[in-house]
Amino acid sequence: MNFEVKQQVPLAALDSALHHAREPTLDLLAKIIGGAGSRPSLLAKAKTFNRLIEFAKIGAWTEAAFALIALELPLWRVRRLAYEDGEWLCSLSYQLNLPIEIDDCAEATHEVLPLAMLRAFVEACGRRHVMRGVRIDRSAYSAMAGANHLL
């Protein structure tokens, strides 16, 4: 199985593929790594990446999902896994120190636990790209902070 990026798959298409999947597959994992992964050429050299692939090959998909999250999103953590009404909910958090009520988690559901985790991973990858694209205008922030201080 080749995990090098040939053509990046849009995150919405990955989520749709995961949503409609009945079970995880190596082909689907390759698409996720190619589409959502930030550094596939470096991943191929990583010990953790090899462990992730071994988990997937033996069908240990939940462990593979945990390994992928740890490898690609090292600052994100699984905050909640819950099973209700025949579906798994997976919540990934970038800010575990916040109460869950106000945390802006990346969340996804699926009937199959590892697919819910992979959907949440894709959601978090989308948020990571947005977070990287946001730049703070420090002068505007300073002016706002000064104005708020006067109130």
Side-chain angles (χ1 to χ4, degrees), residues 3-5 29-53 67-74 121 125 128:
F3 288 92
E4 289 296 320
V5 177
L29 181 62
K31 287 178 184 175
I32 293 166
I33 292 170
S38 62
R39 52 194 187 282
S41 61
L42 295 176
L43 287 178
K45 299 174 188 169
K47 185 181 206 180
T48 306
F49 181 75
N50 291 332
R51 189 169 40 131
L52 158 68
I53 300 307
L68 181 61
I69 292 164
L71 185 64
E72 276 294 315
L73 300 171
F121 168 79
C125 286
R128 176 186 62 190

Side-chain angles (χ1 to χ4, degrees), residues 44-100:
K45 299 174 188 169
K47 185 181 206 180
T48 306
F49 181 75
N50 291 332
R51 189 169 40 131
L52 158 68
I53 300 307
E54 288 305 314
F55 283 145
K57 284 181 179 177
I58 64 170
W61 286 103
T62 302
E63 289 81 0
F66 275 118
L68 181 61
I69 292 164
L71 185 64
E72 276 294 315
L73 300 171
L75 299 177
W76 291 73
R77 297 290 181 263
V78 174
R79 175 141 196 172
R80 176 175 45 189
L81 292 174
Y83 186 75
E84 188 174 316
D85 298 327
E87 280 195 326
W88 285 96
L89 166 72
C90 178
S91 300
L92 300 180
S93 177
Y94 185 74
Q95 299 178 330
L96 286 176
N97 56 333
L98 292 177
I100 197 160

Side-chain angles (χ1 to χ4, degrees), residues 137-150:
D137 180 354
R138 297 207 186 276
S139 61
Y141 177 76
S142 297
M144 281 181 11
N148 287 337
H149 178 66
L150 296 174

